[in-house]
Amino acid sequence: MSLLEIRGLTVTMGVQEILHGVDLDVAERGIVAVLGSNGVGKTTLMRAISGIYKPKAGTIRFKGEDISKLKSHEIVARGLLQAPEGRQIFSSMSVRENLVIGGGAHGLSELERILVLFPKLGERMSQIAGSLSGGEQQMLCIARALMAKPSILLLDEPSLGLAPKFVKGIFDLVSQIRDEGLSILIVEQNAKAALRIADRAAVMESGRIALEGRAVDLAGDPRIVEAYLGGHVHTV
Ligand SMILES: Nc1ncnc2c1ncn2[C@@H]1O[C@H](COP(=O)(O)OP(=O)(O)OP(=O)(O)O)[C@@H](O)[C@H]1O
Ligand SMILES: [Mg+2]
């Protein structure tokens, strides 16, 4: 049984159907990358898993339990956390306050462990979060999610808008987090870097999974190379 098992997930927005029966699995300690062009439904998928959008049909099993009808906070409480697209940190609060809020009941005991992974944040604990650089804000967003001790982390475009030196840092960090025992579902435009750290990958096209397989196989698949790795991909 997979840690996260999605079957026939269908999501509508008004009269428009955005996801048309998505099947996807994330194994324990697995990294699954979701690739796809703009507007194919990647963020919608992430939001449906997090309970922000309610599916019209299908199931989302997490640790064997169907979470598709639960509220977002109930899903968070079960250990599924999303670091959202566009980094929603509390910008007028300090780095420390952001982290402690993320930790909830775990609070300070988690902080020390997290700061080992994020030494840069440790140096900036009193700084107002809104004054961090883009890359640092992204780190804070991920660190805050980790404070809640999730068993799976959903990352929606963590490298978006970051300078190359930060991009490498983010992907290294994701690998490191997995090594600590978490599972990760990551949406990325940076297909090359995502396929490098992922075990498995899925390609979305207009609300469906068009292709799924081992990341190494997809990285060598001519269709992927042409569509996602061909010349326009940033190198890390
Ligand atoms: N709240 C909404 N109301 C209406 N349509 C929506 C809503 N959210 C998303 N959509 C539409 O659903 C489709 C999928 O959007 P989504 O944000 O999931 O794409 P995406 O794959 O994450 O794209 P990107 O790579 O640009 O982030 C788009 O056509 C979008 O306009
Ligand atoms: Mg998106």
Side-chain angles (χ1 to χ4, degrees):
M1 185 185 71
S2 302
L3 183 67
L4 184 67
E5 190 182 278
I6 299 166
R7 293 292 177 270
L9 185 66
T10 302
V11 174
T12 53
M13 299 284 174
V15 292
Q16 209 188 350
E17 190 173 288
I18 310 289
L19 300 183
H20 320 288
V22 168
D23 296 341
L24 194 67
D25 284 88
V26 183
E28 198 105 31
R29 282 176 174 259
I31 300 181
V32 176
V34 177
L35 312 177
S37 316
N38 294 123
V40 294
K42 305 179 300 295
T43 295
T44 303
L45 171 64
M46 300 293 253
R47 290 186 178 153
I49 298 169
S50 304
I52 300 164
Y53 296 154
K54 288 297 159 220
K56 186 179 172 224
T59 55
I60 304 168
R61 291 195 176 279
F62 178 53
K63 297 176 185 167
E65 178 191 12
D66 185 6
I67 58 167
S68 61
K69 291 177 183 65
L70 298 183
K71 297 192 171 68
S72 290
H73 71 268
E74 295 169 326
I75 295 171
V76 166
R78 281 161 175 73
L80 186 150
L81 262 87
Q82 180 173 359
E85 187 182 38
R87 309 169 200 139
Q88 292 152 15
I89 53 165
F90 301 109
S91 50
S92 60
M93 293 185 188
S94 71
V95 169
R96 181 189 301 279
E97 285 165 332
N98 268 274
L99 291 173
V100 170
I101 286 171
H106 305 293
L108 294 171
S109 62
E110 263 315 275
L111 195 55
E112 225 168 295
R113 198 178 68 84
I114 294 300
L115 291 180
V116 175
L117 280 173
F118 300 88
K120 283 265 154 56
L121 292 179
E123 295 164 13
R124 297 176 176 277
M125 292 296 273
S126 309
Q127 190 171 328
I128 295 299
S131 68
L132 294 172
S133 76
E136 290 164 350
Q137 288 188 26
Q138 183 60 287
M139 294 282 182
L140 177 58
C141 181
I142 296 173
R144 192 183 60 184
L146 289 177
M147 284 287 291
K149 297 177 84 171
S151 41
I152 186 165
L153 188 62
L154 272 48
L155 297 170
D156 193 350
E157 311 242 10
S159 80
L160 191 71
L162 297 186
K165 63 172 179 175
F166 283 122
V167 173
K168 178 156 186 349
I170 293 283
F171 284 99
D172 287 349
L173 182 71
V174 173
S175 291
Q176 228 177 322
I177 293 167
R178 187 267 299 277
D179 294 344
E180 298 239 319
L182 270 79
S183 303
I184 290 146
L185 181 61
I186 181 172
V187 166
E188 258 298 328
Q189 297 276 340
N190 191 337
K192 195 172 180 177
L195 288 173
R196 195 177 294 151
I197 60 162
D199 308 296
R200 300 190 69 83
V203 177
M204 277 190 84
E205 279 172 15
S206 21
R208 290 190 172 82
I209 304 289
L211 209 58
E212 197 275 338
R214 294 194 310 159
V216 282
D217 295 337
L218 263 63
D221 187 314
R223 290 167 293 183
I224 303 294
V225 173
E226 193 185 333
Y228 300 101
L229 304 173
H232 303 292
V233 177
H234 328 267
T235 44
V236 183

